[in-house]
Amino acid sequence: MGTEIDGDERFKYLIVRPEKGGVMDLWRYMVMGDIGSGVRFLECSEERVMSREAADNRWVIIVSILVRKVLHVFGKPLEYTGFAIDFFLNVLSENGGFFGLFFNFIQGKVVIPQRGTDEFTSTIGQLDGRVDLYRAEKLLEHIDDSVPGEEHIKAEMGHRALMDLCIMASKLAYENAKVVRNVVVNHWKMHFVDFYDCWNDFQKENSTQVFIICDKPKDADLILISFRGTEPFDADDWSTDFDYSWFEIPKLGKVHMGFLEALGLGNRAKTATTFHHHLRKTKTNPNHSSGIDSEDTAESNADSDKEHSAWDQSSDSETASVPPDMVKKSAYYTVRRKLRRLLREHKNAEFVVTGHSLGGALAILFPTVLVLHEEMEMMQRLVGVYTFGQPRIGDMQLGKYMEAHLEHPYPKYFRIVYCNDLVPRLPYDDKTFLFKHFGVCLYYDSFYNEQRMDEEPDPNFFGLRYVVPLHLNAAWELIRSLMMGYTYGADYKEGWVSIMFRIIGLALPGVADHGPRDYVNSVRLGREPHPHLSSS
């Protein structure tokens, strides 16, 4: 039976553990359909349902196990490859390209890039070097003209300038703190609040990054929170995307366990303690505060914004209660604490949450937990959530629970999907599978035509019938990349790094479509926008 907490609450969970079974167990489960072998990979709060889960969702679980086993084996080589590619691309960019590097080498003046500086950009930044906002002046004018007590920014929730700010912030979240600060201050002319490197207790590392900005330092009208997404060469990030494990919160629904861990809200190795404590209703949650004008009791010792840089590593001997140091290094509590202070400081401010890929999952999960914790004063100041290439975070019950808070009195949650992007189709969904998307889906095809729908086309394109169309579309995207500069102008011209990525997309089209570049282009070039997305 599910773990019982506070009498009536029963918490249920299912964990897929690739390390618990061997290759022969996987072979028997995959080829021979041996459910007993499949059960060896599962851990469940109700042992009697494991066989049913292993049978009903066999292929979904097999894919999760197989992909995560491969990622585990190649995790370190993938990480080292990423370091090498990052360094190589930055050597080229800081020396003026191949010819510049050649001449600098002859003259003994080669510039060696330094990680963590405002000149060192990620592979994502190298794929798309654009940093300036689209029609930024229109967004800033609209924010400045907002009248307290009236419609504020929500009247233009789908305004392309605001939407562009969100995708650019989602893309920027892949960079280090100095790059983020430089772009926000010098290019966007906004106020940089802080950059946080937060602890994932399951992965035992600071693997969740998020930054916060305001439109201005005083009397701000807009606060933006941007979570970093799946890094291309981070096996743990990709493993999280392919994870099938879930945790069920009573009356709310089933939630993707890996995303909860990324927010710092539990550790599957301590399921009976950490998830239960973090995800209780507020009446039993000692970390809850009622309202923006009061501080969390468990967070009151963390008044200095500088504390996050000195966080200690967590101990394996943590108990069921959440100690103050755990609160300080958790992404959820860190962002909630800072957001509360900002909303208290800027009386007229509203906030928007955004992210690409894994960052998109965290972006929508953050307000979901705020609702669970009954932070309703804070939620009243939420202007919206924009996610790009976001994977599924929970089941249909979770979606229905959140619709009441994100659909009325106007839509606040927009999920943007580009063409054949693989990640929004994860975790895999079918008739028996539990993960479902919710919110408004804004879908863009490879011609950047926009459609507003409940679900992207071909939500599960892994079947053989999609193979040919996927690769033909990837070939078209490669041809299109060579013409973008001539068709739309210099700002859309793709460099050799982006074109190489398109070539890789001929073999892995679903992965190639996940890059932020096409999401930026979709926002800026999207055809036939609906009235709520008018750029006029």
Side-chain angles (χ1 to χ4, degrees):
M1 297 180 67
T3 303
E4 186 171 344
I5 302 292
D6 295 333
D8 295 332
E9 291 186 341
R10 296 183 183 276
F11 291 85
K12 302 176 182 179
Y13 60 88
L14 178 75
I15 304 175
V16 179
R17 295 189 180 275
E19 73 280 4
K20 293 296 184 180
V23 175
M24 291 306 300
D25 293 314
L26 181 58
W27 174 261
R28 285 191 291 267
Y29 183 39
M30 180 171 61
V31 178
M32 303 171 63
D34 182 3
I35 303 303
S37 296
V39 166
R40 295 181 183 178
F41 295 97
L42 304 181
E43 177 183 324
C44 187
S45 56
E46 298 180 320
E47 293 186 7
R48 59 187 174 84
V49 305
M50 280 200 294
S51 295
R52 186 179 66 202
E53 285 281 350
D56 291 347
N57 301 303
R58 176 169 157 242
W59 284 107
V60 178
I61 294 172
I62 287 171
V63 170
S64 178
I65 295 170
L66 193 59
V67 171
R68 291 168 63 199
K69 275 185 173 292
V70 171
L71 287 170
H72 178 73
V73 171
F74 291 99
K76 281 299 179 182
L78 189 65
E79 180 182 355
Y80 296 147
T81 299
F83 278 126
I85 291 176
D86 278 349
F87 183 79
F88 173 70
L89 294 178
N90 278 274
V91 167
L92 290 179
S93 63
E94 292 191 29
N95 286 277
F98 287 102
F99 291 110
L101 177 62
F102 175 74
F103 288 119
N104 284 351
F105 178 78
I106 293 176
Q107 300 174 40
K109 298 180 180 180
V110 174
V111 179
I112 305 298
Q114 299 295 319
R115 291 184 180 274
T117 66
D118 57 6
E119 297 291 333
F120 195 97
T121 57
S122 67
T123 299
I124 295 294
Q126 296 286 345
L127 284 169
D128 183 4
R130 292 173 292 187
V131 296
D132 292 320
L133 300 177
Y134 174 74
R135 303 188 67 174
E137 71 287 346
K138 193 169 184 63
L139 172 64
L140 295 175
E141 287 173 6
H142 175 70
I143 293 174
D144 290 339
D145 290 341
S146 297
V147 180
E150 295 187 2
E151 290 302 304
H152 289 269
I153 304 164
K154 66 187 179 187
E156 297 289 331
M157 178 55 205
H159 196 288
R160 285 200 180 275
L162 179 57
M163 197 170 167
D164 184 72
L165 171 63
C166 288
I167 179 55
M168 293 301 286
S170 298
K171 184 165 75 78
L172 185 61
Y174 289 94
E175 308 301 335
N176 66 64
K178 290 185 178 179
V179 172
V180 173
R181 177 190 289 271
N182 178 57
V183 171
V184 169
V185 174
N186 297 320
H187 290 265
W188 299 356
K189 308 301 179 185
M190 294 184 179
H191 174 60
F192 175 77
V193 176
D194 217 334
F195 180 97
Y196 302 98
D197 200 8
C198 302
W199 181 254
N200 183 319
D201 196 44
F202 174 64
Q203 295 180 359
K204 297 301 180 186
E205 62 180 348
N206 292 322
S207 59
T208 302
Q209 285 75 42
V210 55
F211 71 85
I212 304 177
I213 64 175
C214 297
D215 62 306
K216 49 192 173 184
K218 294 184 178 180
D219 300 322
D221 293 295
L222 180 65
I223 300 166
L224 182 141
I225 302 166
S226 180
F227 288 92
R228 192 215 69 190
T230 305
E231 291 192 307
F233 302 101
D234 191 319
D236 288 334
D237 281 358
W238 285 104
S239 183
T240 298
D241 288 338
F242 278 91
D243 198 357
Y244 170 62
S245 307
W246 51 261
F247 182 85
E248 183 174 9
I249 305 171
K251 300 180 181 179
L252 186 121
K254 295 181 175 70
V255 185
H256 190 289
M257 188 173 285
F259 300 150
L260 289 173
E261 290 168 333
L263 270 185
L265 294 173
N267 180 345
R268 69 188 64 192
K270 310 169 188 176
T271 300
T273 58
T274 53
F275 287 109
H276 297 158
H277 183 90
H278 288 291
L279 299 172
R280 295 180 188 183
K281 283 287 188 180
T282 53
K283 63 182 180 181
T284 60
N285 189 344
N287 294 329
H288 171 258
S289 68
S290 57
I292 292 172
D293 293 327
S294 61
E295 287 289 349
D296 285 2
T297 301
E299 298 171 14
S300 60
N301 295 325
D303 290 331
S304 170
D305 289 338
K306 298 179 180 179
E307 283 190 340
H308 73 276
S309 62
W311 291 339
D312 297 324
Q313 303 296 306
S314 69
S315 170
D316 287 337
S317 62
E318 286 180 70
T319 62
S321 62
V322 182
D325 66 328
M326 187 64 201
V327 169
K328 286 188 288 183
K329 54 194 171 184
S330 155
Y332 170 74
Y333 293 112
T334 298
V335 174
R336 189 181 74 173
R337 179 174 63 245
K338 188 62 182 181
L339 178 60
R340 179 177 291 117
R341 294 174 185 167
L342 290 171
L343 292 174
R344 190 169 59 245
E345 178 184 349
H346 304 285
K347 299 297 184 182
N348 298 319
E350 296 172 301
F351 72 99
V352 62
V353 193
T354 191
H356 169 262
S357 191
L358 170 63
L362 303 185
I364 184 56
L365 190 55
F366 176 71
T368 299
V369 181
L370 288 181
V371 170
L372 176 67
H373 287 169
E374 297 179 358
E375 297 281 1
M376 304 320 295
E377 286 189 48
M378 200 175 293
M379 284 297 294
Q380 289 173 2
R381 309 271 291 272
L382 173 68
V383 68
V385 180
Y386 281 111
T387 70
F388 304 87
Q390 169 218 314
R392 300 177 174 102
I393 69 162
D395 64 2
M396 187 177 295
Q397 182 182 350
L398 175 71
K400 291 181 178 179
Y401 180 92
M402 287 304 297
E403 282 175 357
H405 302 279
L406 297 174
E407 294 294 328
H408 307 287
Y410 61 93
K412 295 183 179 180
Y413 173 32
F414 293 88
R415 187 173 55 83
I416 294 86
V417 177
Y418 170 73
C419 202
N420 295 321
D421 187 350
L422 167 69
V423 175
R425 279 87 173 179
L426 297 175
Y428 191 81
D429 175 30
D430 60 23
K431 293 179 181 179
T432 62
F433 199 47
L434 59 93
F435 285 105
K436 303 290 182 184
H437 276 306
F438 60 99
V440 178
C441 175
L442 297 178
Y443 173 78
Y444 294 88
D445 63 21
S446 60
F447 293 92
Y448 303 121
N449 293 309
E450 174 203 305
Q451 300 177 60
R452 178 170 176 161
M453 53 185 62
D454 294 328
E455 182 74 82
E456 61 272 9
D458 305 330
N460 298 301
F461 56 58
F462 302 98
L464 292 176
R465 59 175 172 162
Y466 300 118
V467 172
V468 173
L470 277 170
H471 288 84
L472 287 177
N473 189 77
W476 151 244
E477 288 173 335
L478 175 60
I479 296 171
R480 185 193 63 189
S481 69
L482 302 174
M483 303 186 298
M484 289 293 289
Y486 302 101
T487 306
Y488 297 106
D491 199 39
Y492 297 92
K493 182 179 180 180
E494 299 193 23
W496 71 270
V497 179
S498 179
I499 293 173
M500 289 297 296
F501 186 58
R502 302 284 190 191
I503 293 174
I504 294 173
L506 296 175
L508 301 170
V511 175
D513 277 9
H514 188 56
R517 171 178 283 277
D518 281 317
Y519 281 96
V520 175
N521 290 346
S522 295
V523 170
R524 298 182 178 187
L525 301 174
R527 295 184 176 90
E528 299 181 2
H530 292 276
H532 77 285
L533 286 177
S534 174
S535 59
S536 59

